[in-house]
Structure formats: C-alpha cells, structure tokens
Amino acid sequence: MRRLVVVLCWIVGLAVGMAAPGYAQNVAPEKPRVTRILFLLDASGSMLAPWEGQARMDVAKSLLAKMVDSLNAYPNLELGLRAYGHLHDKSENNCEDSKLEVPFAPKNAAAIKNRLKTIVPQGNTPITYSLLQSAGDFPTDKTARNVLILITDGLESCKGDPCATSVALQRKRVFLKPFVIGIGAEREFGKQLECLGHYYNAADVKTFRTILNDVVAQTLAKTTVAINLTDEAGKPVESNVNMTFINNITAQPEYNYVHYRDAQGKPDALDIDALQSYDLVINTVPPVRQENLQIRPGKNNILTYKTPQGTLWLQSPNLTANPYGTVQAVIRQAGKDNTLLALPFGARQKLLAGNYEVELLTLPRQIRRITVKQGQETTVTYPAPGMLNIISDLKGYGSVYRLNDDESQTWVYNLPDGSSSKVNVAMQPGAYRLIFRTKNAIGSKFTDVRNFTIRSGQTSSVSIFGK
C-alpha cells in the first residue's frame, strides 16, 4: 500500500508579534508573544520507501533543514524537534517509540539540522502516542502560540485514535485546528486524515515543498478581518452591534468586539488568528450566525452580512397610574414557538427586519403580529384597562371568560378557590362572562352565569349573593 507524508500543524494564539486577544479578551500583551513550532517527524520504516528517486525520509529531512534555516532569523520564535519510529525495529512492534530530540530554543536551526542527520527510519507509526507526548514538550506559557507540524508517510499503526486525540488536545487549548498535508497519497487515503484539520494533498515533491512553505507562512502571517453589516440593499449602514468569534472546537469565545465603522462607512480591520477555526455570531436580535468562518491567512479579509434592523417600541398607554403595574411582552419570530426575548412596556428594542409575534401579558393576553422594517420604528400598545369588582358573600369556585364576536367564549381568569370577599382585577376592555358555583351547592345545576362589560378607566361590579 502506498503511504504518504502528512504535515499536521496545530497553532495556539496569534501570529508572531501580533496582539493577543487573551481568553475572551481583546487586550494586547505587555510584550510580543512567543511562537513555538515543534516538528514531529515520522521516522518509521516506511519512510525509507523511494519517492521521485529519493527516500521519503531524505526528502523530508532536506525540506525541514531548509525550513528551519529560513526561520532561524525570526524574532519571538522557538523551534523544537520530536521524532518517532526510529528507536526500535519494526519487528519489536513498539508503540511508545517517540522522543523529543531537540527541545525548544531560539535560533536553534543548526541543532535541528545536525540531529536530523542521525535519525534512521526503522519502526512503527505511533501517531497518537506521539501527539500526547508532544503536548508536554511545550513550556507552560499561556501567552505563547504552540505550533505542531507532523510529518508522516502513513496512518496510525498502533490502534490509537489521532483524530479524537487532536480534538481533545484542542479543547484543552494545547493545540488548535491542524493543517494536514498528504504527500504522495491516494486522495481516498487523505479522507481518513481530514478529521485532524485542514487537509491538503501533495502528490509530488514540488507540491509538498509549496504546501509546507505555505503552512509555515500562514503560521507567521498577520491576518485581519473586517466585517460589513449592511441593509437589504447591501449598503453598510448598520453598526454598534456586538460580534463574537467562537472557537468551534472549544466552543469558547476567542474575541468579543462591538462593531465600528468610520464616517465613510468602512469597518475597521480586526487582528484575528487565522489558524484557529471560528463560528461568528453577530449579536443582533435574533442573532446572525456564520459557522466555519472562512478566513484567508495573511490577508485582509472583508466579510459582508445582511443585518437590516428596525426598532420595536412597546408604548405604554397614557395613564396616571397603571392598574396592571409593569406589563411585559414576549417576542417571537413569526412561525417559531421559542421565545426570542421578553421586554417591559416602555422599552425600545432593535430587531432584525422581518415578521414577529408580540404577546402582551395583559389580562387577557393579546397577540399582535407585526413587521419590522429597516430603519423604521414599529409601535405596539394596548388600550387602558378597566377594573372588574366581584362582590360575593358566598364561598365558591368561579372563572371569567371573554365573549368573542362569534359568541364563543375564551377562558381568562380563575377566581381564588373558596373565595368569599371582594376581588379586584384589572382587565382589557370587552365583553365577559362570570361563571360561579357556591361551595355548598349540591349540584352543578346551581352554577350562576353573569355577563358584564369592561370599559377603559371604569370599574364594573358583579355581585353574587346567596338566595
């Protein structure tokens, strides 16, 4: 079976010298962050196989030597080298054959090149074990960027699960989403590696060189992201909205910003580490979410989203004193059952342009179906309530119903069980019915039914007395 060379790159934090967001923060560090790149080299026996006239190991060594030379002058950069499959013969079936050959240090290209010369392929391919071990190679430094580049010509040979290990280490913030470069491999073979991260297939040495250079360039490049928030016509008129970049491996927020655009309508450019994988949440109401945000490393990315907004005004009726107290409203998107938000009357709230259902928690409750339009204010209010005054000298059970235009009735309110005194209830204007049975009645037929009308600002009294 043909095997492959895989380059796997895990990166934590921002690019060399870039400002750090901090965990869910946007505060720059006091000093430049250190980027640490660990080369994890497959030295299993299959690396002796020929590839365009050379052993795969010789190709990998040559390219790595040139790479570390090119990186030696970078500031705030440290390199390290771990190899696996080179300490035990394949016949030993050793699945813990992995060793840190060159610890992290600045400007140590010579040490890495010298150590590469002595490594001879011979053993297994314990990728999972090596990934776990490499997590301990990085010094304890929460401010640093940890980059891991795995070079291998095959899949795991020790029954480990490198994909699950990759995700687990990313969630612990040891590694971030990897790059996977399959070299000289069948495309189907690479599908087994896609779960590790971004997969690239390099079928020849030239392509391998190009992709490896590109991976490292992405690691060191500064990337910016500008977000355009537009109306339905695509004009950048929206702003001042919270935006959250969520690491979609850890599910934790990496950056929180309040959107800004200048007098010319242009958004500012944000420093974003492109070597992580994000979901973007634009915290309008309801929110706009972009999963697996596509960011090109080393570029000024300009992304555009339609977020047309209007305003909902819950306008209280003009009353000296509102017998309801503070009335709440529940807002839902049209056609959806879940609550979008709840607000008190008197509040103004920006909403994405669209259709909504507003439920007013008056007595009885009311439903208003509204359309919010870009740049416009939509007002919802309710009539001033009246008062229902129930007087009874009898204990019993009763309910109030609203009478509908079609002469049907809708339940509104239950009297307190066993009540026998004055009950005052604020209600919306309309026609109602009181149904009441005394506690001592000896049958349902003794239920009393009374119709009454509620008018704004007035009190309607209903008396129930024993016969």
Side-chain angles (χ1 to χ4, degrees), residues 28 68 125 141 169 226 250 268-269 288 300 330 373 388 390 457:
V68 296
T125 311
D141 183 355
L169 292 174
T250 67
D268 54 349
V288 173
N300 180 24
V330 175
K373 297 181 179 180
L388 168 61
I390 301 176

Side-chain angles (χ1 to χ4, degrees), residues 1 3 42-48 84-97 120-126 152-158:
M1 179 185 293
R3 307 192 74 182
D42 182 351
S44 62
S46 60
M47 288 290 282
L48 292 173
Y84 62 82
H86 61 305
L87 301 177
H88 299 269
D89 187 79
K90 192 176 184 67
S91 62
E92 298 180 38
N93 196 30
N94 190 299
C95 285
E96 296 183 355
D97 185 351
V120 178
Q122 59 174 328
N124 275 341
T125 311
T152 180
D153 74 338
L155 298 176
E156 172 71 46
S157 67
C158 288

Side-chain angles (χ1 to χ4, degrees), residues 73-115:
Y74 272 84
N76 308 308
L77 179 64
E78 297 182 7
L79 305 178
L81 173 66
R82 171 178 283 271
Y84 62 82
H86 61 305
L87 301 177
H88 299 269
D89 187 79
K90 192 176 184 67
S91 62
E92 298 180 38
N93 196 30
N94 190 299
C95 285
E96 296 183 355
D97 185 351
S98 182
K99 181 183 178 183
L100 178 63
E101 297 291 352
V102 181
F104 283 109
K107 302 184 186 303
N108 63 347
I112 292 176
K113 290 191 294 182
N114 289 334
R115 194 68 189 95

Side-chain angles (χ1 to χ4, degrees), residues 160-454:
D161 189 342
C163 292
T165 301
S166 167
V167 171
L169 292 174
Q170 290 176 66
R171 286 176 176 166
K172 291 179 180 179
R173 307 184 72 84
V174 176
F175 306 136
L176 296 180
K177 193 170 185 177
F179 292 96
V180 181
I181 304 174
I183 296 176
E186 300 292 339
R187 290 188 179 276
E188 291 72 19
F189 200 57
K191 291 180 179 179
Q192 300 180 51
L193 301 168
E194 290 177 346
C195 57
L196 291 169
H198 302 288
Y199 177 74
Y200 301 84
N201 183 66
D204 53 58
V205 174
K206 181 179 178 181
T207 304
F208 174 45
R209 181 185 301 109
T210 300
I211 293 175
L212 180 59
N213 288 339
D214 182 60
V215 167
V216 174
Q218 290 183 44
T219 303
L220 302 177
K222 178 178 179 179
T223 302
T224 62
V225 177
I227 306 291
N228 270 319
L229 303 181
T230 75
D231 61 12
E232 286 289 356
K235 296 179 180 179
V237 299
E238 297 291 353
S239 192
N240 306 323
V241 177
N242 287 57
M243 303 182 302
T244 305
F245 292 78
I246 298 175
N247 184 319
N248 60 15
I249 298 297
T250 67
Q252 298 299 318
E254 293 288 344
Y255 306 89
N256 282 297
Y257 293 106
V258 177
H259 186 270
Y260 171 84
R261 60 185 178 88
D262 61 22
Q264 287 73 44
K266 295 181 179 180
D268 54 349
L270 309 173
D271 288 341
I272 302 293
D273 190 343
L275 300 183
Q276 298 188 69
S277 180
Y278 304 98
D279 294 341
L280 172 64
V281 179
I282 302 168
N283 293 292
T284 51
V285 181
V288 173
R289 187 181 186 104
Q290 172 66 62
E291 296 186 353
N292 295 317
L293 192 65
Q294 298 300 309
I295 300 177
R296 295 175 302 160
K299 306 293 184 180
N300 180 24
N301 296 264
I302 301 177
L303 308 177
T304 300
Y305 299 92
K306 288 185 177 180
T307 58
Q309 296 183 93
T311 302
L312 169 64
W313 180 23
L314 298 174
Q315 184 181 28
S316 297
N318 187 16
L319 298 172
T320 303
N322 193 333
Y324 284 135
T326 300
V327 174
Q328 299 285 328
V330 175
I331 296 96
R332 304 179 184 90
Q333 287 182 273
K336 297 186 178 181
D337 295 331
N338 59 299
T339 297
L340 187 60
L341 74 163
L343 294 171
F345 266 80
R348 282 182 166 88
Q349 174 66 50
K350 276 192 170 184
L351 297 173
L352 281 182
N355 298 321
Y356 297 88
E357 182 181 271
V358 182
E359 183 176 6
L360 288 63
L361 304 187
T362 54
L363 189 66
R365 296 188 178 195
Q366 306 173 66
I367 300 292
R368 304 290 173 79
R369 292 174 175 83
I370 64 169
T371 298
V372 174
K373 297 181 179 180
Q374 165 74 39
Q376 298 183 22
E377 185 171 81
T378 301
T379 302
V380 172
T381 189
Y382 59 89
M387 294 296 298
L388 168 61
N389 176 219
I390 301 176
I391 302 174
S392 175
D393 62 351
L394 301 172
K395 294 183 178 181
Y397 310 93
S399 299
V400 175
Y401 293 82
R402 183 161 197 165
L403 300 180
N404 303 315
D405 292 340
D406 61 358
E407 298 185 1
S408 64
Q409 63 185 35
T410 303
W411 174 87
V412 172
Y413 174 75
N414 284 340
L415 274 62
D417 282 355
S419 63
S420 62
S421 60
K422 189 173 183 180
V423 176
N424 285 302
V425 182
M427 300 181 65
Q428 285 294 283
Y432 295 89
R433 176 173 290 154
L434 172 64
I435 301 176
F436 185 86
R437 179 182 64 76
T438 64
K439 185 176 183 180
N440 296 326
I442 59 175
S444 298
K445 65 181 180 180
F446 297 104
T447 299
D448 196 5
V449 177
R450 306 286 180 88
N451 291 346
F452 62 94
T453 299
I454 296 293

